[in-house]
Amino acid sequence: MAVIYRVNMTDLSVRSEAPGPGYLETGGRGLTSALIAAEVRPTCHPLSPENKLVIAPGVLTGTGAPCSGRLSVGAKSPLTGTIKESNSGGMGAIAMATLGIRAIILEGKPADRGLYRLIVNTEGIQIEPADELAGLGNYETVGRQYEEFGDKVSCLSIGQAGEMGAAAASIAVTDVEGRPTRHCGRGGLGAVMGSKGVKVIVIDPRGGHRPKPADVEAFKRGAQKFQEILKGHPLTGEGLPTYGTNALANVINQAGAYPTRNFSQGQFEGTEAISGEHQHDVILERGGEIAHACHRGCTIKCSRIYVDENGQYVTKGPEYETIWAHGADCGIDDLDAIARMDRLDDDFGLDTIETGATIGVAMEAGIIPFGDAEGAIGLLEEVGRGTPLGRLVASGAEVLGKAYGVSRIPTVKGQSMPAYDPRAVQGIGVTYATSTMGADHTAGYSIAANVLGVGGTVDPLKPEGQVELSRNLQIATASIDASGLCLFVAFAVLDKPEAMDAICDMFSGLLGREFTADDYLALGKATLAREREFNRAAGFTAADDRLPDFFKTEKLAPHGATFTVSDEELDTVYNFVGE
Amino acid sequence: MPRVQVNLYATLRRYVGGAPSVEVEIDPGRTIEAVLAGLGVPTDQTRILFLNNRAANLSDTLKDGDQLGVFPALGGG
């Protein structure tokens, strides 16, 4: 039986309810955004009792559909002030789905400012005091849970950053090995969890059952077809497992779109030393692991295990965005130093993109020089100690930049841009400017057609065609984010039309009715419309759908490019709403 | 004789002994496809091409001092 749990942290009570009819055929971001839009006052303070944190697996999660283990977390964001959904891999979503849980909604705020843990199992949810976990990092926090509950559980947790209410705080999700390496990173949702007084959620799936499709054979046919497509595509079948997400470093650097030294250049001279190819060689030489799955049922396996010179575990990956943020954006070409920073981010519970970009701005401000890896690690350690400077770092690039009088701050709606300069890839600039989430590459990954030759070809340096490209990708992404499928399946879906048929077959088999590509896209459109309306009611206007001015005035080498998509064109991205 | 620099990435490096970059002498007007064939790089495995940091096609011709970036199908993010 599908269930939604409401956990009231004001009176420490738990209520279960059956999902309403509108919520049965959606999940992930579709469900988190529907619940936030329906139940949270858009102008409330994100850290007030009125905000809610919604945690939801996708529609297909737990069914055995390939690559369907994404977990969505939604709330009003303390970083952007918009509605927010941030999703992650790891094992948490599958554990929830195995217990039949469609969503857990954290509400209210404890009057005593105490810390609690939630134990989720076949009995329901128990709330227990957990003040002994105060001030601990994610590794120690989840390590204690595994000692107590064994290795079959999954954990969602916050580190020091979430406890201090920092706007760059993430929510960690444990991986297959029980490490807190996968994160709902963007938008500061760890601070919302911290404001509810919840340090860790332990999910024990033992005794639960995998969701059963209404038509098992139809579902299996779709899942098998989908798996064959993913394994047969050169990107999802070879490129991502072999080189990981950081294979992109050289590609984006060649395109002149690799933001370097706080978005002041488009190419980094140290790229080879932090590239996916070099990372691959280092990992294999030291006895680490490539082609690692972040959750069971993943066939792409883009994750890796990074070890030090003695073969000792340091961290996962690190991923492309993390290596860029702590690397090229800070002028740092030392992969081991970047891996240490990734580990610290995961332990303190910080969004690696926001944190790296913030350190880049701190370098621009002169707090430490560009290229100073040890200085960057020192800044991060300030977060763990909760010093005033550490709190600034954990507050994101916009806050730190303003505090130090920096004029080049690469944010939209308060959220730092990821690893693609919008002057050299104009399509991603449209997504950064107009996404309901603030600057977010995953919301509409225009890099595919602008650079990678996937899903068509649109010249990255010209404004023509970028709005349509971004709009279509934003809709398709919102649909994927509801399904629980990893966004990386999109590379195969954009190339092979039969992949969309396979997804529809899986939905049809699961739901027991015909589910078409139009139904699928309708999920995404409905989600975007709700999110957009929430943001409007929260006070956002067209003036917020803009890139910082320096992208229009400062030319980016090597192309001498500026961002040239007009404001009028940007304002047409959401013209499908209300159709 | 005109020379071009060919930068190969990811799985394509296996065709040039693992080297990230090779310099090639060319006859003027040679195409990218011909240069890659001369190196033994199967063009059916090349998916993303840059000529002097701009997107290129296999049929584009080369001149002295050009820089090529050649990738298989890659993605991430």
Side-chain angles (χ1 to χ4, degrees):
Chain A
M1 272 301 282
V3 63
I4 290 178
Y5 285 112
R6 290 181 185 274
V7 180
N8 185 324
M9 292 306 297
T10 303
D11 61 14
L12 303 180
S13 65
V14 179
R15 201 151 52 89
S16 68
E17 58 191 54
Y23 296 153
L24 271 173
E25 296 195 354
T26 190
R29 175 180 172 187
L31 188 52
T32 63
S33 285
L35 286 164
I36 297 297
E39 300 186 9
V40 174
R41 189 166 56 88
T43 49
C44 79
H45 192 284
L47 302 183
S48 71
E50 272 196 71
N51 200 8
K52 299 187 181 188
L53 189 78
V54 182
I55 306 162
V59 176
L60 296 173
T61 305
T63 59
C67 303
S68 62
R70 300 299 290 189
L71 181 77
S72 288
V73 178
K76 175 170 172 163
S77 163
L79 184 74
T80 63
T82 65
I83 197 167
K84 173 64 68 176
E85 182 265 0
S86 184
N87 63 65
S88 169
M91 288 298 295
I94 294 172
M96 281 179 71
T98 303
L99 292 169
I101 302 172
R102 304 301 297 268
I104 296 173
I105 307 173
L106 304 187
E107 306 177 338
K109 194 171 184 172
D112 64 358
R113 295 178 65 90
L115 263 188
Y116 296 86
R117 73 172 178 180
L118 308 184
I119 313 298
V120 186
N121 52 31
T122 51
E123 306 288 305
I125 298 183
Q126 296 84 48
I127 306 172
E128 298 178 355
D131 289 315
E132 72 282 3
L133 301 176
L136 296 183
N138 280 312
Y139 273 87
E140 176 69 20
T141 298
V142 305
R144 292 190 188 187
Q145 310 313 311
Y146 281 96
E147 274 177 27
E148 185 174 340
F149 294 97
D151 62 3
K152 300 287 189 270
V153 302
S154 298
C155 296
L156 276 60
S157 62
I158 58 169
Q160 294 90 336
E163 282 187 55
M164 65 178 82
S170 65
I171 296 172
V173 182
T174 49
D175 59 19
V176 179
E177 287 79 18
R179 292 169 174 147
T181 62
R182 319 312 308 187
H183 287 247
C184 298
R186 309 240 63 191
L189 299 188
V192 179
M193 187 159 148
S195 76
K196 307 291 182 205
V198 178
K199 177 73 175 175
V200 59
I201 303 172
V202 182
I203 308 165
D204 186 346
R206 283 173 290 192
H209 301 285
R210 169 187 281 210
K212 193 168 182 299
D215 182 342
V216 175
E217 288 311 309
F219 177 83
K220 272 190 187 165
R221 274 196 305 276
Q224 193 171 359
K225 188 160 56 170
F226 196 54
Q227 175 146 332
E228 285 165 11
I229 291 166
L230 293 176
K231 288 206 163 182
H233 191 280
L235 212 164
T236 47
E238 183 173 21
L240 276 167
T242 308
Y243 293 102
T245 54
N246 194 33
L248 273 183
N250 274 315
V251 182
I252 302 304
N253 193 56
Q254 272 280 332
Y258 200 42
T260 300
R261 296 184 184 83
N262 189 34
F263 287 78
S264 62
Q265 296 150 293
Q267 289 185 307
F268 180 46
E269 70 283 357
T271 301
E272 186 60 33
I274 60 171
S275 67
E277 288 87 344
H278 181 66
Q279 183 183 5
H280 165 271
D281 294 347
V282 167
I283 287 172
L284 290 186
E285 278 164 20
R286 294 178 176 178
E289 187 182 336
I290 63 166
H292 175 260
C294 78
H295 69 266
R296 277 199 288 279
C298 169
T299 60
I300 299 176
K301 301 182 179 175
C302 70
S303 180
R304 22 236 67 220
I305 304 284
Y306 194 88
V307 296
D308 66 16
E309 287 173 335
N310 301 316
Q312 296 300 305
Y313 170 81
V314 178
T315 189
K316 91 298 186 180
E319 307 296 343
Y320 167 69
E321 304 291 340
T322 305
I323 291 176
W324 159 78
H326 292 294
D329 197 51
C330 295
I332 291 171
D333 63 0
D334 179 343
L335 201 51
D336 284 322
I338 293 166
R340 282 167 62 200
M341 287 190 265
D342 182 68
R343 168 66 180 252
L344 289 173
D345 286 342
D346 283 356
D347 200 30
F348 299 151
L350 289 166
D351 174 19
T352 60
I353 296 175
E354 192 67 43
T355 305
T358 305
I359 294 172
V361 170
M363 289 173 163
E364 176 104 30
I367 300 173
I368 53 173
F370 281 109
D372 181 0
E374 289 307 314
I377 291 168
L379 272 185
L380 256 183
E381 286 171 339
E382 302 250 0
V383 178
R385 291 198 298 274
T387 66
L389 181 56
R391 283 173 180 265
L392 270 181
V393 171
S395 298
E398 188 149 305
V399 168
L400 184 134
K402 281 181 180 171
Y404 280 85
V406 175
S407 61
R408 190 190 291 118
I409 305 176
T411 57
V412 178
K413 301 182 179 74
Q415 179 165 291
S416 288
M417 289 179 191
Y420 318 86
D421 196 300
R423 289 165 288 194
V425 193
Q426 307 255 326
I428 204 69
V430 175
T431 298
Y432 290 165
T434 62
S435 160
T436 50
M437 301 286 147
D440 177 349
H441 61 301
T442 64
Y445 194 64
S446 308
I447 308 303
N450 275 171
V451 180
L452 304 177
V454 174
T457 305
V458 177
D459 188 332
L461 295 166
K462 294 184 175 152
E464 288 82 15
Q466 308 294 2
V467 163
E468 188 185 3
L469 175 66
S470 174
R471 177 194 300 126
N472 291 337
L473 287 168
Q474 288 194 51
I475 293 168
T477 303
S479 301
I480 287 185
D481 288 345
S483 70
L485 292 170
C486 171
L487 187 54
F488 289 168
V489 306
F491 291 121
V493 174
L494 287 166
D495 264 0
K496 293 187 181 293
E498 60 269 32
M500 192 64 239
D501 298 338
I503 292 176
C504 289
D505 288 349
M506 290 191 289
F507 267 87
S508 300
L510 181 69
L511 301 174
R513 69 167 179 87
E514 191 187 0
F515 191 89
T516 66
D518 284 344
D519 295 330
Y520 182 72
L521 290 177
L523 270 180
K525 285 183 182 175
T527 300
L528 287 171
R530 284 194 185 104
E531 292 171 349
R532 181 91 171 158
E533 173 54 24
F534 182 97
N535 291 349
R536 188 200 62 72
F540 288 85
T541 69
D544 297 298
D545 289 344
R546 302 289 182 260
L547 300 185
D549 202 52
F550 76 86
F551 289 103
K552 296 178 191 166
T553 58
E554 292 183 15
K555 289 184 178 175
L556 184 75
H559 298 297
T562 56
F563 185 70
T564 54
V565 179
S566 70
D567 292 351
E568 291 71 26
E569 287 177 279
L570 291 177
D571 292 341
T572 66
V573 168
Y574 282 85
N575 63 7
F576 64 90
V577 175
E579 270 177 6
Chain B
M1 204 149 187
R3 299 172 73 84
V4 298
Q5 187 179 15
V6 185
N7 300 297
L8 294 158
Y9 297 97
T11 46
L12 300 180
R13 287 183 178 170
R14 67 169 77 121
Y15 299 106
V16 291
S21 180
V22 289
E23 281 223 336
V24 183
E25 290 190 344
I26 58 161
D27 298 323
R30 289 269 274 181
T31 63
I32 294 174
E33 186 166 22
V35 168
L36 292 176
L39 287 170
V41 178
T43 48
D44 64 347
Q45 290 183 26
T46 64
R47 176 75 177 253
I48 310 165
L49 292 175
F50 293 100
L51 175 54
N52 302 324
N53 304 120
R54 284 178 181 266
N57 297 304
L58 285 169
S59 58
D60 291 347
T61 56
L62 299 168
K63 62 180 188 321
D64 189 39
D66 276 346
Q67 300 232 355
L68 270 179
V70 187
F71 296 85
L74 290 176

